[in-house]
Amino acid sequence: MFDLSLNNPLEVAEAGYEFAVELPDGTKTDFKIKVRGSMSKVVRDFQRKTFEEYQIKERMAKKRKQEVEEESLDELEDRAVKNAIVRIISWSGLADEGKEVKFTKEAAEKILKEHYWIRTQVIDNSDDVSNFRRD
């Protein structure tokens, strides 16, 4: 019999999934990132907040009888970076100029802005429901 309680990705999504970051050419690295699943409460709350902010902008523009201002590329990138940061639980195996880089939101922001390919892997691994199941 299929038991939903044993196959609920919401619970497992909070616990996280660790993956090895790959270089753009596919080479695996020692840099590992543990991410929350996109179904986790933290990620869903962030997405809900972002959507509500957009709705407020839309309503305000409608009241002024104007169209919603399009976001700049910088604004879109900032939102993408924040979307990735909220998914990261921790990381290990990262150095810069020979010094270990500990996970902080500030460090993550800098790295994810400069290295979009890492940001893409964070979001892709977080969105992959198959990463968040019980064995």
Side-chain angles (χ1 to χ4, degrees):
M1 182 179 302
F2 180 76
D3 189 337
L4 281 174
S5 67
L6 298 177
N7 294 282
N8 184 349
L10 301 177
E11 267 181 38
V12 184
E14 269 320 317
Y17 169 78
E18 187 175 74
F19 68 95
V21 173
E22 294 182 8
L23 296 174
D25 68 3
T27 305
K28 287 209 184 270
T29 69
D30 294 333
F31 178 25
K32 294 184 178 172
I33 301 177
K34 187 173 186 179
V35 294
R36 290 177 181 86
S38 60
M39 292 183 157
S40 77
K41 182 176 179 346
V42 172
V43 175
R44 287 184 303 140
D45 286 350
F46 170 81
Q47 291 171 334
R48 193 172 285 118
K49 180 182 173 216
T50 302
F51 179 73
E52 288 169 357
E53 288 170 356
Y54 180 79
Q55 283 186 315
I56 290 168
K57 281 172 94 175
E58 202 172 48
R59 281 193 296 264
M60 291 177 70
K62 197 173 188 178
K63 282 182 183 180
R64 293 188 309 262
K65 297 184 181 188
Q66 297 175 342
E67 290 193 28
V68 178
E69 289 182 36
E70 289 187 25
E71 291 183 306
S72 69
L73 287 176
D74 287 340
E75 289 171 323
L76 289 171
E77 183 178 36
D78 284 345
R79 188 161 11 104
V81 168
K82 289 176 185 170
N83 183 31
I85 291 170
V86 76
R87 296 165 188 254
I88 299 173
I89 296 171
S90 63
W91 69 39
S92 62
L94 179 63
D96 189 17
E97 296 182 4
K99 295 180 185 174
E100 181 182 8
V101 178
K102 300 264 186 204
F103 172 73
T104 65
K105 287 185 179 182
E106 294 78 18
E109 183 174 3
K110 180 181 184 301
I111 290 162
L112 296 175
K113 275 186 178 182
E114 292 177 8
H115 305 280
Y116 75 91
W117 51 275
I118 297 173
R119 181 175 71 223
T120 300
Q121 290 177 58
V122 167
I123 294 169
D124 288 349
N125 278 280
S126 174
D127 283 345
D128 186 347
V129 178
S130 69
N131 290 334
F132 302 93
R133 59 184 179 161
R134 294 195 173 124
D135 291 330

